[in-house]
Amino acid sequence: MTTLTLTPGAVTVDHLAQVYWSEESVRLDPACRPDIERAHACIARAVAGTDAVYGVNTGFGKLASVQIAPEDTATLQRNLILSHCCGVGDAIPRRHARLLMALKLLSLGRGASGVRLELVDLLEAMLSKGVTPVIPAQGSAGASGDLAPLAHMAAAMMGHGEAEYEGRVMPGAGALAAAGLTPVELGPKEGLALINGTQFSTAFALAGLFGAWRGAHSALVTSALSTDAIMGSTAPLHPEIHALRGHRGQIEASETMRALLAGSEIRESHVDCDARVQDPYCIRCQPQVTGAAMDVLRMAAKTLEIEANAATDNPLVLVGADLIVSGGNFHAEPVGFAADMIALAIAEIGAIAQRRVALIVDPVLSFNLPPFLTPRPGLNSGYMIAEVTTAALMSENKHLANPCVTDSTPTSANQEDHVSMAAHGARRLMPMLDNLNRILGVELLCAAQGIDFRAPLATSAALQRVVARVREEVETLGDDRYMAPDLERAAQMIASGAIIDATSINLPELNE
């Protein structure tokens, strides 16, 4: 496993995607260590003084007016973590937990949290040695930080809770010991620094972003395949049409589809004398719809890139001014907005793909393909119910795409009276992606089946490679068979990026 060095304040979404997909070890740029030490020195001076400093020598939230004796500050931090371990539900995936830990490292690395270097060293070592805290998925309202889930991370660092190591879940202390690591005893303000912040919400929003971008790429491939399967027109892909509008995503989507369809014998066979004047919108407007979704995803990516580099705990240590100041950077409103944007993009990519599935199984619209893509309709139902499944998944995603960030509710005895709900806004992206991958998987199977029916005419070289990749997993459908495994294998090809790789063409980049 390689180690990726991250410079706080300069990390890009590409770096974060590398952490997520490759599960690489992470270390902070050593240049940030002096700033971390200077901020910790400010906290040490505050502990030695008599002024009340929130979270250093006071209680938390509604209890901020209660001052804590110097000899109790370590107990204060321990109690904070254990009392906040109130997460419920299934444990989050390992990949998400590791991204969360990397994001927390970045936040601490800004030198405004006041922690000792020992906490940074332990997080880096846990990532390097594969000690992953068990973090329940539910419990954060997305303001005052992702308190409950981050508390479970901190508890594992203290030797409490649970962690996964070498494929086994065990008590936190046991996992650390097995990896040759020592639990940390938290000092003043350190528990608060670990649990205040948006790293849980941001990790899930980033995971949704990365999956949605892969879904957008896959949709360009499946839509090109569907276009050729129904003998659709490529005239709407003319570059000048899209240049006249000017949206980057639309221009790139049309360019990608032109590259995918270049050299298709199927297309050349009906360039002239085609009685159809225009194709339905799900074919003709694919660049406009998926291209717009790509633009929305890029907007969300910019927000999340900024958030990943941010110091988001409270209070923050302003070293230059020698101040410890309470603020509200833990409020995950930007992440909540980004998650809602990603949800809209996922829903719309799937919605137009579902209409292509409906078109390709309909003999009235599919330009002489057999009903439901079966060679013996009537006796066989072919892809009839696979299309119904995509309709169900599309509808589910429409409901899940409703905004979460507007659903605030007061918490903590009205001290935290407006919350972002970013955590579950970001978590809902994963089931939405599962739905999208299955919709696109069905389109992939239907379009490949349609291409098979066009023989001896051949599709383009790029799309022939896609069909060949599909046929490695799923045979052409003849008589009806048990369909569920076929659909699942196709969804996995979408989720893994296998069909994108099969095209061997350059695809648009997420970064600006």
Side-chain angles (χ1 to χ4, degrees), residues 445-468:
L445 295 181
C446 290
Q449 184 88 351
I451 294 295
D452 288 346
F453 278 118
R454 298 301 181 191
L457 294 174
T459 188
S460 67
L463 294 179
Q464 285 181 58
R465 291 191 292 271
V466 173
V467 174

Side-chain angles (χ1 to χ4, degrees), residues 222-233 276 278-286 351-373 383-384 386-388 390-391 442-443 446-447 450 454:
T222 58
S223 64
L225 203 62
S226 292
T227 297
D228 231 16
I230 63 114
M231 303 186 89
S233 175
R276 298 169 298 171
Q278 293 181 327
D279 294 313
Y281 286 2
C282 65
I283 298 294
R284 194 180 356 144
C285 299
Q286 169 67 356
I352 194 169
Q354 197 283 326
R355 296 317 304 154
R356 292 192 297 271
V357 175
L359 180 152
I360 202 169
V361 300
D362 184 346
V364 175
L365 298 173
S366 65
F367 203 58
N368 302 320
L369 290 175
F372 305 107
L373 301 169
Y383 284 101
M384 178 189 295
E387 185 270 328
V388 174
T390 65
V442 172
E443 183 185 10
C446 290
R454 298 301 181 191

Side-chain angles (χ1 to χ4, degrees), residues 4 6 14 46 58 71 82 91 114 127 139 162 171 258 262 285 351 356 382 387 389 396 415 431 466 472-473 506:
L4 181 65
L6 301 178
D14 288 342
T58 74
E71 63 270 19
L82 299 183
L127 284 164
E162 292 183 319
R258 288 196 303 274
C285 299
R356 292 192 297 271
E387 185 270 328
T389 297
E396 186 174 309
Q415 178 74 4
V466 173
E472 291 176 12
E473 303 285 340
N506 293 325

